[in-house]
Amino acid sequence: MRAGWLAYCLAFALAWPAQAALDAAMVSKLATGDGDEKVAAITALVASGEPRVAAVLQALADGQMQVASGRVLLVKGEAAEDAVTGEKVSALPERREEVVANNRLRREIEAALSALMLFSPDRDSRLAAAKDLAGRSNDAMLPLVKRAQAAETDPVIRPILDMTAAGMALRGADKATRIAAIRMLGTSSDPASRMLLSPLAARNRDGSWTERDDEVRIAAQASLAAVEERLAWGSRASLLFSGVSLGSILLLAALGLAITYGLMGVINMAHGELIMIGAYATFVVQNLFRAHFPAAFDWYLLAAVPCAFAVSALVGMALERTVIRWLYGRPLETLLATWGLSLVLIQGVRTIFGAQNVQVENPAFMSGGAELIAGIVLPYNRIVIIGFAVAVLAGMGVLLARTRLGLFVRAVTQNRAMAACVGVRTARIDTWAFGLGSGIAGLAGCALSQIGNVGPELGQSYIVDSFMVVVLGGVGQLAGTVFAALGLGLLNKLLESWAGAVLAKIAILVFIILFIQKRPQGLFALKGRVVD
């Protein structure tokens, strides 16, 4: 850090004329004044923008500033230079007094050096300096901030400097400058602008206005109203995105269950564990890419998606062949058997991978987020999952509507007996359909691995929600599952913003119970001459 700072000071100094000198009176106060005078001198020197200020302040912080016969020197070993002009001193005076920086002075120097870093060629250093200055800005540094504003082109740093400069201008005495700053803040979407404008539009406890100038207050009220309206729309958009994001996750988790439950009437309590298996398959593929194909790590999801689908589908088909097909028409026994299978799968995963959660890393293109407005970020991983859910849904729609397997699945769903009479092998269709539903559960697990840790009990968090989506949408209805998932996602986020997560869950459960009482078939009822 020190080496980088000194290199910056050198580069900064070379960019300015060598004969540039500091204010001698301010340098003298910095060395010999009392505490308040030294702080004022630091502020004045920084505001001057002279290139040598950084080196002088750093020398003071390092204990390298001395005074000899009223002359301030920067001494390092046997070499010395004049603090004001930068001229080399050939012979050091014998009688010199060292200038000591106390803790208060060191804090002020640290803030001043941070402000000077606004001119650093390194983008990260400028960003850190801008954030630090915004938190503890000194009004006397406004000229320095304005110079940094004029030179800054980074779309992230510039708004921070704009906000800092506006905050300084609001505290000034010039009316025209204050109104200009207020109008600039009125065009901002940063919540910090509301904090700066609110005191100017507020009343005191006795009912009088905090801001006595009517023109300034009216401008502040208009700008504050514009900012609050903009932030309100941003908050609504963020809430809508959160609801759609949750709905897409519920859709992925429930889509496979809608097929198996709708086709065979099987209450599959192991559906959550099929989701979990898909997540662990993604974890294994990630580790294989990290170990054998590190250069292509960001593309491991292209292999993880089909792998998660295949592994979960094979496990589901094995469960259907060995256990579930012998329990058709016996819902209680099926429920208990699949619950037992879920415990077996959980314990199997614990034995292989351990009881602790494992982490699946996001590829580079899914890291970070898109900033809607200041403070409201839409994560890229959530955006990708929404797109992934749409793609899975479209693939399911094509498969069910345009393929021979889809035709058989729809036929068995609507009238199993008639489908068997015309030659459809219903037992084989049951296996393939169960495998398809299980594979989609694996895709849900692959998606869920990108937004949280993966553990043996991952699926337990989604099994109840999946059944609620299927029952609300209508058994065996793809369109109903979509509407139910998105509706529950939006409703859940809306209620969470009002009443909290726990009360939101309770309210949704009560709503579903009342809805099913009035419409047992769900949002969309199956159509057919005979519906089992």
Side-chain angles (χ1 to χ4, degrees), residues 9-67:
C9 291
L10 177 61
F12 192 37
L14 291 175
W16 287 70
Q19 66 271 21
L22 302 183
D23 187 324
M26 289 298 103
V27 174
S28 178
K29 285 184 179 181
L30 182 64
T32 62
D34 59 25
D36 291 337
E37 288 178 335
K38 288 183 177 180
V39 171
I42 290 173
T43 302
L45 288 171
V46 171
S48 71
E50 294 293 343
R52 296 189 59 258
V53 171
V56 171
L57 294 180
Q58 190 65 58
L60 175 57
D62 293 341
Q64 296 173 351
M65 180 177 286
Q66 298 178 1
V67 179

Side-chain angles (χ1 to χ4, degrees), residues 217-267:
R217 185 182 66 253
I218 292 172
Q221 289 172 338
S223 293
L224 181 60
V227 170
E228 288 182 338
E229 180 67 16
R230 201 173 294 113
L231 291 176
W233 277 108
S235 180
R236 295 185 192 107
S238 177
L239 183 64
L240 176 63
F241 174 80
S242 298
V244 173
S245 175
L246 178 59
S248 66
I249 292 171
L250 292 177
L251 175 61
L252 285 172
L255 197 56
L257 189 64
I259 296 172
T260 56
Y261 186 37
L263 176 64
M264 294 169 284
V266 174
I267 304 175

Side-chain angles (χ1 to χ4, degrees), residues 118-133:
L118 292 174
F119 299 94
S120 169
D122 180 63
R123 187 257 183 193
D124 292 337
S125 298
R126 298 200 311 276
L127 178 59
K131 290 180 178 179
D132 185 67
L133 189 63

Side-chain angles (χ1 to χ4, degrees), residues 276-288:
M276 175 262 293
I277 288 173
Y280 271 100
T282 305
F283 170 71
V284 171
V285 172
Q286 169 202 255
N287 289 346
L288 289 175

Side-chain angles (χ1 to χ4, degrees), residues 41-212:
I42 290 173
T43 302
L45 288 171
V46 171
S48 71
E50 294 293 343
R52 296 189 59 258
V53 171
V56 171
L57 294 180
Q58 190 65 58
L60 175 57
D62 293 341
Q64 296 173 351
M65 180 177 286
Q66 298 178 1
V67 179
S69 302
R71 187 181 186 187
V72 182
L73 304 176
L74 306 182
V75 182
K76 186 175 182 181
E78 297 299 324
E81 65 179 47
D82 189 287
V84 176
T85 63
E87 296 176 354
K88 299 295 182 182
V89 177
S90 57
L92 285 172
E94 292 185 1
R95 301 188 61 181
R96 306 187 303 274
E97 182 179 352
E98 186 174 348
V99 180
V100 179
N102 57 24
N103 289 337
R104 178 193 177 192
L105 208 57
R106 289 181 183 278
R107 287 194 298 269
E108 293 295 333
I109 292 173
E110 182 183 352
L113 293 177
S114 179
L116 290 172
M117 287 296 287
L118 292 174
F119 299 94
S120 169
D122 180 63
R123 187 257 183 193
D124 292 337
S125 298
R126 298 200 311 276
L127 178 59
K131 290 180 178 179
D132 185 67
L133 189 63
R136 50 179 179 181
S137 58
N138 188 321
D139 294 355
M141 294 184 183
L142 181 57
L144 183 72
V145 175
K146 285 187 174 180
R147 279 199 294 273
Q149 245 183 312
E152 187 58 67
T153 58
D154 189 278
V156 176
I157 302 175
R158 180 60 187 266
I160 300 176
L161 294 178
D162 291 343
M163 199 63 58
T164 302
M168 293 177 176
L170 287 180
R171 295 189 289 268
D174 184 69
K175 178 178 176 180
T177 302
R178 297 181 71 198
I179 292 178
I182 288 171
R183 289 173 178 168
M184 189 281 292
L185 290 173
T187 64
S188 172
S189 299
D190 193 328
S193 59
R194 179 169 55 188
M195 298 175 59
L196 293 173
L197 292 169
S198 294
L200 301 178
R203 292 180 181 270
N204 296 314
R205 292 184 177 180
D206 59 2
S208 62
W209 293 104
T210 302
E211 176 56 52
R212 296 184 179 181

